[in-house]
Amino acid sequence: MPTPSFAARYLGRTVLAIGAHPDDIELGIGGTVALLAAAGIRVVTAIVSVPAEYELRSAEAKESAAILGSEPRILLEGGCRRIEDLKNYQLVGLLDALVREAKPAAVLTHGPTDFHHDHVTVYHATVAAQRVMQFDLFSYVPTMTRPVPVPFEPNAYVDISSTMDKKLEAIAAHKSQFYSRGLAFEFYRDLARVNGRMVGVDYAEALAVDKIVFA
Amino acid sequence: MPTPSFAARYLGRTVLAIGAHPDDIELGIGGTVALLAAAGIRVVTAIVSVPAEYELRSAEAKESAAILGSEPRILLEGGCRRIEDLKNYQLVGLLDALVREAKPAAVLTHGPTDFHHDHVTVYHATVAAQRVMQFDLFSYVPTMTRPVPVPFEPNAYVDISSTMDKKLEAIAAHKSQFYSRGLAFEFYRDLARVNGRMVGVDYAEALAVDKIVFA
Amino acid sequence: MPTPSFAARYLGRTVLAIGAHPDDIELGIGGTVALLAAAGIRVVTAIVSVPAEYELRSAEAKESAAILGSEPRILLEGGCRRIEDLKNYQLVGLLDALVREAKPAAVLTHGPTDFHHDHVTVYHATVAAQRVMQFDLFSYVPTMTRPVPVPFEPNAYVDISSTMDKKLEAIAAHKSQFYSRGLAFEFYRDLARVNGRMVGVDYAEALAVDKIVFA
Amino acid sequence: MPTPSFAARYLGRTVLAIGAHPDDIELGIGGTVALLAAAGIRVVTAIVSVPAEYELRSAEAKESAAILGSEPRILLEGGCRRIEDLKNYQLVGLLDALVREAKPAAVLTHGPTDFHHDHVTVYHATVAAQRVMQFDLFSYVPTMTRPVPVPFEPNAYVDISSTMDKKLEAIAAHKSQFYSRGLAFEFYRDLARVNGRMVGVDYAEALAVDKIVFA
Amino acid sequence: MPTPSFAARYLGRTVLAIGAHPDDIELGIGGTVALLAAAGIRVVTAIVSVPAEYELRSAEAKESAAILGSEPRILLEGGCRRIEDLKNYQLVGLLDALVREAKPAAVLTHGPTDFHHDHVTVYHATVAAQRVMQFDLFSYVPTMTRPVPVPFEPNAYVDISSTMDKKLEAIAAHKSQFYSRGLAFEFYRDLARVNGRMVGVDYAEALAVDKIVFA
Amino acid sequence: MPTPSFAARYLGRTVLAIGAHPDDIELGIGGTVALLAAAGIRVVTAIVSVPAEYELRSAEAKESAAILGSEPRILLEGGCRRIEDLKNYQLVGLLDALVREAKPAAVLTHGPTDFHHDHVTVYHATVAAQRVMQFDLFSYVPTMTRPVPVPFEPNAYVDISSTMDKKLEAIAAHKSQFYSRGLAFEFYRDLARVNGRMVGVDYAEALAVDKIVFA
């Protein structure tokens, strides 16, 4: 008998994926987003800000969302913005509003050990947004285009064997990052293989459970 | 739309609850066991050893299992035994065999921060039993008949509002502990109320996720 | 022979309670403040800022302090202010000045694991204020009007059985929070009961010791 | 006004110091024991076992206790014994009995990060002995005759400026360890100086608070 | 200019690798051992015990050591033995003696978060052996033939690109484990690739620094 | 045979020491800097900002660098500046540029547990600067002119017996801090003695390894 699926848990509901910037969601949980979307679940992929090249990167994010099957959103839309230009209470306010509107059954966001200041800020603001309503909360692996070893202790795994390629395709849609700047993202296939072996599947994305509630 | 249930995740499969001694499972996850059993899921409640008054305590454990609706098991059956009389590899061997037979989709056991030496030993042996096959692994709150504050950081909650009373009834079935020795177990109702408020329900049992795998 | 009291330790000296906003002190350590004040100890309850409805919330804080028997203080007085509008060194400066003036034997403040950004900021600034002089430093439980589970590992407990009701009365004095917004604060009675049972009393507030010095 | 003293807290009551072997208590908290005893507090210094040279080392321990002013006790008395020859439940039983008899207001013992297996075992057994009754519980610094760096995070400090010399004298009473084997114990003076500077006194012993209860 | 090599640090000295059982050293640090040996450094690969099939597994260990270029040692030699049959002080005694004889400049052993009870025991005994003399101490990744996810936070990396194949060859020499039992060890190549990418090389083994001393 | 030296590892390369303000580097790693410089290694000692008395403190820093033999640098040069006046991405940008220019084989900076907000900010920005290139990364002890106990768990030690006096001389060069304000810095000699005893030398500076890579 197969392992119960992530999709089964959220069928008929909304899952909210949050990334500080374009490509974070794809690097961290692109396979999971594609898996949920393929099962007919509404997945909102919300990018907090686009720090540079707004038009180009927004277009890439839109293309990537089309590949994954998610509903893209840019919270600080309309032009280049930096998360640090917001006060924390403003960022919490933005996420509160998003949660009120999307009513997510689960939220997937950055984790507290990430080395990027904006990522950690977004994590803490998402934790605070739990005041608005109850939702399952998961953190994903530190995301980076150039490797910096930081600790991450996953305890949840999603089998993305069927969407591994789609994840890489969605990452590749961010051409301005991975082609112009010559960055390799094969790392994410290697990481998914190691995580997959840990739980007996070909490829897996690893998550850390912040809170999960069972009725 | 209600939160997806713990039972929904394990329907048609077996859940294995492990406690070092009689009454541990009831104190830690009695409500969850009752909830799963009520949904028709096979729950094996395995006690590793009975350290004293074998006949009496085995009978109490059997009565408690009848209340919860679980399938009781005593691993070191036939007489009083102490977990410390086993080598660790022997305990791991016992749990390996149990896992091979029960093929659990999830295992719920003691956690690593418990203050009772046997509880911690059982936790580590259960972690090792993951070599045999993949299963979801959860730790439950340190269980005690007399309070000793030790840290426990839950990140999963099961709504036991509908089985709160059954949990207390199952604990009370261990008459030799809670009546002869005059111990109070109302603490566990108070704790469930606090955990419940944390996630917006009347009563909840708190767990720590060691590993959960989603297909 | 009874357990030595918190008041006995600080008799004839000043204890300083710090909260980021109105009602934080009451939720976290209202019972302890009342207990100390009842023993004739000078307790300064310092609120860093009032983020909204300055007149109303200041009045409520004053009323609450009258109930607890403390000497209320608003650090950023005169109007609505946000802690984030201060630089960290400015906040440390404010607390340095307060410590220089009040010469506290003990300071009780927020803890580092709180989910509210301002609370964590106040905690770190208080740690830094130890440069000014030696004082015992304790952190209190994450305070919230709507529950968000975050870890907190207490190791000190104050028996507030005699001031439990006064604590709730002081919380209730913040009518704009708990009546207009329909928030429940019975959670804090439940939490005190669980903490009390841990140490054999009816109700207790839990603290984490940051530093305690014995002559 | 001076900092409230450790002795003031325990006046008229019993403090129990536990060490796995002879000289552990002196290395870890000899200054504190001397300070409490000098204030007229009954201090029981309990050694769990003497692993070698029973007569010699018992005599040294007795001499050391005379210097500190404590009431010495050897739990596994009558000959050389090893803690590992006890099952954990037997060790817990020994400590339970000691606690029942001494009725300590505070217990000071080894900490969980010590590198010596017996020390850690004694720590965990002492934690479990809290089932018997409520007492303040403190851990002391890893003790060693030859240095092995292991983490220890103190949060309580006792000013031992007045008993620093007595502490070294008590350590020196263990002649078979520190003279025959040529071991230096000046390290403990250096460590006390560093800890003292941290809290503004000449010499201090550092402790970690496991539990402290205030009435 | 290339990164300074691990071998450069230990040239003309002895490095001691410790594994609880045959194949642990190969899985954890086979590439590092081969790298050091290739540079002319004496590497002692010490296996604590062979729990089953003594003749067969000893022969395999010898063959593997020949591949890596190390000097093999079985501490509990002469027949099948279990680490749990030793008391901790006996194991520490064994390692003390080994350290006295080999006089290692560095020791590489299991880490404290490993899920195998014997591995953790060996780790703690090695920490204690630092009493004998000063040496650099490193822990290696949890080793397993069937995956069990446990946390491990490396902070040191050894570039094993030149010995990756030799590592796998040495693992494969343990035919009774990896061929008869059909176990896959390709996981270790995948893991080395992920660790390598983290530090900009093809393949790396990850270590956690327990202690490193620089003159 | 002597322990391999820190200098041996970085011969012919550049080591970068980063401190938030003047005197941080001296307090934390003055002995190590002097040791490396004495071995002919280029050491860049980079101060991020001078918060007050720019001319005076810059001159002191220059004098101190002359004593240590390092190449001083002030990142926010030309006048008094506060680190908090930079956005995090600006600070990361500054450090990125420094790393690109200095091409350090190792970077030594503040650690994450420091109580000074600026120190922690500098630590995190340095971690992020690893995106630019690979370098060994070490954190040093929390630095303070007035003691505040905060946890720090070192695992690397540098023998500074030969440069202990030079370290104190360099600290003393910051006359405006340690003479005008009457601050004692003998604490740092005491601390080095305790750390030295831990690893069998007269004086040592303690570091925490964030990342070290061996070829």
Side-chain angles (χ1 to χ4, degrees):
Chain A
M1 190 173 291
T3 302
S5 79
F6 207 53
R9 183 163 170 79
Y10 302 114
L11 222 57
R13 313 188 69 186
T14 296
V15 169
L16 174 60
I18 302 176
H21 309 117
D23 82 28
D24 282 327
I25 291 171
E26 288 81 351
L27 295 172
I29 42 166
T32 300
V33 168
L35 199 67
L36 292 169
I41 291 165
R42 178 189 177 220
V43 186
V44 175
T45 45
I47 294 164
V48 179
S49 84
V50 179
E53 299 182 289
Y54 186 81
E55 294 309 325
L56 174 62
R57 300 212 62 190
S58 302
E60 289 172 353
K62 201 167 287 182
E63 191 192 326
S64 162
I67 293 167
L68 297 177
S70 71
E71 189 179 314
R73 202 76 65 90
I74 294 175
L75 298 190
L76 296 170
E77 62 183 342
C80 290
R81 296 286 296 280
R82 289 209 173 254
I83 290 174
E84 287 195 69
D85 293 333
L86 293 180
K87 298 285 180 189
N88 277 283
Y89 64 85
Q90 293 172 319
L91 180 59
V92 171
L94 267 182
L95 295 183
D96 282 359
L98 179 61
V99 162
R100 270 196 200 93
E101 183 230 299
K103 295 190 179 28
V107 177
L108 296 88
T109 190
H110 297 283
T113 62
D114 202 304
F115 72 90
H116 194 307
H117 187 269
D118 286 348
H119 296 189
V120 177
T121 299
V122 168
Y123 167 72
H124 286 296
T126 310
V127 168
Q130 294 180 88
R131 296 173 351 284
V132 175
M133 61 172 279
Q134 297 286 339
F135 48 78
D136 292 350
L137 179 59
F138 301 90
S139 298
Y140 52 80
V141 71
T143 51
M144 40 202 166
T145 48
R146 290 190 187 81
V148 174
V150 278
F152 179 70
E153 288 191 15
N155 55 7
Y157 296 84
V158 181
D159 178 356
I160 60 157
S161 304
S162 67
T163 55
M164 183 71 239
D165 291 339
K166 202 162 260 194
K167 173 186 177 126
L168 294 181
E169 199 187 330
I171 296 174
H174 296 273
K175 290 191 197 68
S176 64
Q177 302 304 298
F178 297 98
Y179 288 91
S180 321
R181 294 162 67 197
L183 298 171
F185 53 83
E186 274 301 304
F187 172 73
Y188 287 91
R189 180 188 290 275
D190 293 335
L191 185 61
R193 191 186 291 115
V194 163
N195 283 323
R197 285 190 190 274
M198 269 297 164
V199 295
V201 303
D202 287 341
Y203 295 102
E205 279 171 346
L207 302 169
V209 178
D210 269 63
K211 190 182 74 172
I212 186 167
V213 181
F214 296 100
Chain B
M1 186 172 293
T3 302
S5 78
F6 208 53
R9 183 163 170 81
Y10 301 113
L11 223 57
R13 313 189 69 185
T14 296
V15 170
L16 174 60
I18 302 177
H21 309 116
D23 81 32
D24 282 327
I25 291 172
E26 288 82 351
L27 295 172
I29 43 166
T32 300
V33 168
L35 200 67
L36 292 170
I41 291 165
R42 179 189 177 220
V43 186
V44 175
T45 45
I47 295 163
V48 178
S49 84
V50 180
E53 301 182 286
Y54 186 81
E55 294 308 325
L56 175 61
R57 301 212 62 190
S58 302
E60 290 173 353
K62 200 167 289 181
E63 190 192 326
S64 162
I67 293 167
L68 298 176
S70 71
E71 189 180 312
R73 202 74 67 88
I74 295 175
L75 298 189
L76 296 170
E77 62 183 342
C80 290
R81 295 287 295 280
R82 288 208 173 256
I83 290 174
E84 287 195 68
D85 292 333
L86 293 179
K87 298 285 181 189
N88 277 284
Y89 64 85
Q90 292 172 318
L91 180 59
V92 171
L94 267 181
L95 295 183
D96 282 358
L98 179 61
V99 162
R100 271 196 200 93
E101 183 230 299
K103 296 190 179 28
V107 177
L108 296 88
T109 190
H110 298 284
T113 63
D114 202 304
F115 72 90
H116 195 308
H117 187 268
D118 286 349
H119 296 187
V120 178
T121 299
V122 167
Y123 167 72
H124 286 296
T126 310
V127 168
Q130 293 180 90
R131 297 171 352 280
V132 174
M133 62 174 278
Q134 296 286 340
F135 48 79
D136 291 350
L137 179 59
F138 300 90
S139 298
Y140 52 79
V141 71
T143 51
M144 40 202 164
T145 49
R146 289 190 187 83
V148 174
V150 279
F152 178 70
E153 289 190 16
N155 55 6
Y157 297 83
V158 182
D159 178 357
I160 60 157
S161 303
S162 66
T163 55
M164 183 72 239
D165 291 338
K166 203 162 258 191
K167 173 185 176 126
L168 294 181
E169 198 187 331
I171 295 174
H174 295 273
K175 290 191 198 69
S176 64
Q177 302 304 297
F178 297 97
Y179 289 90
S180 323
R181 293 163 68 199
L183 298 170
F185 52 83
E186 275 300 303
F187 172 73
Y188 286 92
R189 181 189 290 273
D190 293 335
L191 186 61
R193 191 184 292 114
V194 164
N195 283 324
R197 284 191 192 273
M198 270 297 165
V199 295
V201 303
D202 288 340
Y203 295 102
E205 279 171 347
L207 302 169
V209 177
D210 269 63
K211 190 183 71 173
I212 186 166
V213 181
F214 296 99
Chain C
M1 186 171 294
T3 302
S5 80
F6 207 54
R9 183 164 171 80
Y10 301 113
L11 223 57
R13 313 188 69 185
T14 296
V15 169
L16 174 59
I18 302 176
H21 309 116
D23 82 29
D24 282 328
I25 292 171
E26 288 81 352
L27 295 172
I29 44 167
T32 299
V33 168
L35 199 69
L36 292 169
I41 291 165
R42 177 188 178 223
V43 186
V44 175
T45 44
I47 294 164
V48 178
S49 84
V50 179
E53 300 180 288
Y54 186 81
E55 294 308 324
L56 174 62
R57 300 212 62 188
S58 303
E60 290 172 352
K62 201 167 288 182
E63 191 192 325
S64 162
I67 293 167
L68 298 176
S70 72
E71 189 179 312
R73 203 74 67 88
I74 294 175
L75 300 189
L76 295 170
E77 62 183 342
C80 291
R81 296 286 297 279
R82 290 209 172 254
I83 291 175
E84 287 195 68
D85 292 333
L86 294 179
K87 298 284 181 189
N88 277 284
Y89 63 86
Q90 293 172 319
L91 179 59
V92 170
L94 267 182
L95 295 183
D96 282 357
L98 178 62
V99 162
R100 272 198 199 90
E101 184 230 297
K103 294 191 181 25
V107 178
L108 296 90
T109 190
H110 297 283
T113 62
D114 202 304
F115 72 90
H116 194 307
H117 187 268
D118 286 348
H119 296 189
V120 177
T121 299
V122 168
Y123 167 73
H124 286 296
T126 310
V127 168
Q130 293 180 90
R131 295 170 354 280
V132 175
M133 61 172 279
Q134 296 286 340
F135 50 77
D136 292 349
L137 180 58
F138 301 90
S139 299
Y140 51 80
V141 72
T143 50
M144 41 202 164
T145 48
R146 289 191 187 83
V148 174
V150 278
F152 178 69
E153 288 192 16
N155 54 8
Y157 296 84
V158 182
D159 178 356
I160 60 157
S161 304
S162 67
T163 55
M164 183 72 238
D165 291 339
K166 203 161 257 191
K167 174 187 175 122
L168 295 181
E169 199 187 331
I171 295 174
H174 296 274
K175 289 190 199 68
S176 65
Q177 302 304 298
F178 297 98
Y179 289 90
S180 321
R181 293 161 70 199
L183 298 171
F185 52 83
E186 275 300 304
F187 172 73
Y188 286 92
R189 181 188 289 274
D190 293 334
L191 186 61
R193 191 185 291 116
V194 163
N195 282 324
R197 284 189 190 276
M198 269 297 164
V199 296
V201 302
D202 287 343
Y203 295 103
E205 279 171 347
L207 302 169
V209 178
D210 268 65
K211 190 183 72 173
I212 186 166
V213 181
F214 297 99
Chain D
M1 187 170 292
T3 302
S5 79
F6 208 53
R9 183 163 170 81
Y10 302 114
L11 223 57
R13 312 188 70 185
T14 297
V15 169
L16 173 60
I18 302 176
H21 309 116
D23 82 30
D24 282 327
I25 291 171
E26 288 81 351
L27 295 171
I29 44 166
T32 300
V33 169
L35 198 68
L36 292 169
I41 290 165
R42 178 187 178 223
V43 186
V44 175
T45 44
I47 295 163
V48 178
S49 84
V50 180
E53 300 181 287
Y54 186 81
E55 294 309 325
L56 174 61
R57 301 213 61 190
S58 302
E60 290 173 353
K62 202 167 287 182
E63 191 192 326
S64 162
I67 293 167
L68 298 176
S70 72
E71 188 179 313
R73 203 74 67 88
I74 294 175
L75 298 189
L76 296 170
E77 63 183 342
C80 291
R81 297 286 296 279
R82 290 207 172 255
I83 290 173
E84 285 195 69
D85 292 333
L86 293 180
K87 297 286 181 187
N88 277 284
Y89 63 85
Q90 292 172 320
L91 179 59
V92 171
L94 266 181
L95 295 182
D96 282 357
L98 179 62
V99 163
R100 273 199 198 91
E101 183 231 299
K103 295 190 182 24
V107 178
L108 295 88
T109 191
H110 298 283
T113 62
D114 202 305
F115 73 90
H116 194 307
H117 187 269
D118 286 349
H119 296 188
V120 178
T121 299
V122 167
Y123 167 72
H124 286 296
T126 310
V127 168
Q130 293 180 90
R131 293 169 356 280
V132 174
M133 61 174 280
Q134 296 286 341
F135 49 78
D136 290 350
L137 179 58
F138 300 91
S139 298
Y140 53 80
V141 72
T143 51
M144 41 202 163
T145 48
R146 290 190 187 82
V148 174
V150 278
F152 178 69
E153 288 190 16
N155 55 7
Y157 296 83
V158 182
D159 178 356
I160 60 158
S161 304
S162 67
T163 55
M164 182 73 239
D165 291 340
K166 203 161 259 191
K167 174 187 175 122
L168 294 181
E169 199 188 329
I171 295 175
H174 296 274
K175 290 191 198 70
S176 64
Q177 301 305 297
F178 296 98
Y179 288 90
S180 323
R181 295 161 67 197
L183 298 171
F185 53 83
E186 275 301 303
F187 172 73
Y188 287 92
R189 181 188 289 274
D190 294 335
L191 185 61
R193 192 185 291 115
V194 163
N195 282 324
R197 284 191 191 274
M198 269 296 164
V199 294
V201 302
D202 288 342
Y203 296 103
E205 280 171 346
L207 301 169
V209 178
D210 268 65
K211 190 183 72 175
I212 186 166
V213 181
F214 297 98
Chain E
M1 188 172 292
T3 302
S5 80
F6 207 54
R9 182 162 170 80
Y10 301 114
L11 222 57
R13 312 190 70 186
T14 297
V15 169
L16 173 60
I18 302 177
H21 309 116
D23 81 29
D24 281 327
I25 292 171
E26 289 81 351
L27 295 172
I29 43 165
T32 300
V33 168
L35 199 68
L36 292 169
I41 291 165
R42 179 190 177 222
V43 186
V44 175
T45 43
I47 295 164
V48 179
S49 83
V50 179
E53 300 182 288
Y54 186 81
E55 293 309 324
L56 174 62
R57 301 213 60 190
S58 304
E60 289 172 354
K62 200 167 288 181
E63 191 192 326
S64 162
I67 293 167
L68 298 176
S70 72
E71 189 179 313
R73 202 75 65 89
I74 295 174
L75 298 189
L76 295 170
E77 62 183 341
C80 290
R81 296 286 296 279
R82 289 211 173 251
I83 290 174
E84 286 196 69
D85 293 333
L86 293 180
K87 299 283 181 190
N88 276 284
Y89 64 84
Q90 293 172 319
L91 179 60
V92 171
L94 267 182
L95 294 183
D96 282 357
L98 178 62
V99 162
R100 271 197 200 90
E101 184 229 299
K103 295 190 181 25
V107 178
L108 296 88
T109 190
H110 298 283
T113 61
D114 202 304
F115 72 89
H116 194 306
H117 187 268
D118 286 348
H119 296 188
V120 178
T121 299
V122 167
Y123 167 72
H124 286 296
T126 309
V127 168
Q130 292 180 89
R131 297 172 350 284
V132 175
M133 62 173 279
Q134 296 286 340
F135 48 78
D136 291 349
L137 179 58
F138 301 91
S139 299
Y140 52 80
V141 71
T143 50
M144 40 202 164
T145 48
R146 289 190 188 83
V148 174
V150 279
F152 178 70
E153 287 191 16
N155 54 7
Y157 297 83
V158 182
D159 179 356
I160 60 158
S161 303
S162 67
T163 55
M164 183 72 238
D165 292 340
K166 203 162 259 192
K167 173 186 177 124
L168 294 181
E169 199 188 331
I171 295 174
H174 296 273
K175 289 190 198 70
S176 64
Q177 301 305 298
F178 296 97
Y179 289 89
S180 322
R181 292 162 69 197
L183 299 171
F185 53 84
E186 274 301 303
F187 172 73
Y188 286 92
R189 181 188 290 273
D190 293 335
L191 186 61
R193 192 185 291 115
V194 163
N195 283 324
R197 284 190 191 274
M198 270 296 165
V199 295
V201 303
D202 288 342
Y203 295 103
E205 280 171 346
L207 302 169
V209 178
D210 268 64
K211 191 182 72 174
I212 186 166
V213 181
F214 296 99
Chain F
M1 187 171 293
T3 303
S5 79
F6 207 54
R9 182 162 172 80
Y10 302 113
L11 224 56
R13 314 188 69 185
T14 296
V15 169
L16 173 61
I18 302 176
H21 309 116
D23 81 31
D24 282 327
I25 291 171
E26 289 80 351
L27 295 171
I29 44 167
T32 300
V33 169
L35 198 68
L36 292 169
I41 291 164
R42 177 189 178 222
V43 185
V44 175
T45 44
I47 295 164
V48 178
S49 84
V50 180
E53 302 181 287
Y54 186 81
E55 294 308 324
L56 175 61
R57 300 213 62 189
S58 302
E60 290 173 354
K62 200 167 288 182
E63 191 192 326
S64 163
I67 294 167
L68 298 176
S70 71
E71 189 179 313
R73 203 75 66 88
I74 295 175
L75 299 189
L76 296 170
E77 63 182 342
C80 291
R81 295 286 296 280
R82 290 208 172 254
I83 290 174
E84 287 196 69
D85 292 333
L86 293 180
K87 299 284 181 189
N88 277 284
Y89 64 86
Q90 292 172 319
L91 180 60
V92 170
L94 268 181
L95 295 183
D96 282 358
L98 179 62
V99 162
R100 271 198 200 92
E101 184 230 299
K103 295 190 181 28
V107 178
L108 296 87
T109 191
H110 297 284
T113 63
D114 202 304
F115 72 91
H116 195 307
H117 187 267
D118 286 348
H119 296 188
V120 177
T121 299
V122 168
Y123 166 72
H124 286 296
T126 311
V127 168
Q130 294 180 90
R131 296 170 355 280
V132 175
M133 62 172 280
Q134 296 286 339
F135 48 79
D136 291 350
L137 180 59
F138 300 90
S139 299
Y140 53 80
V141 72
T143 50
M144 40 201 165
T145 49
R146 290 189 187 83
V148 174
V150 278
F152 178 69
E153 289 190 16
N155 55 7
Y157 297 84
V158 181
D159 178 356
I160 61 157
S161 304
S162 67
T163 55
M164 183 74 238
D165 292 339
K166 201 161 262 192
K167 173 186 178 127
L168 294 181
E169 198 186 332
I171 295 173
H174 296 274
K175 289 190 199 69
S176 64
Q177 301 304 298
F178 297 98
Y179 289 91
S180 323
R181 293 163 67 198
L183 298 171
F185 53 82
E186 275 301 303
F187 172 73
Y188 287 92
R189 182 188 289 274
D190 294 335
L191 186 62
R193 192 185 292 115
V194 163
N195 283 324
R197 285 192 192 273
M198 269 298 163
V199 296
V201 303
D202 287 342
Y203 295 103
E205 280 171 346
L207 301 169
V209 178
D210 268 65
K211 190 184 73 175
I212 186 167
V213 181
F214 297 99

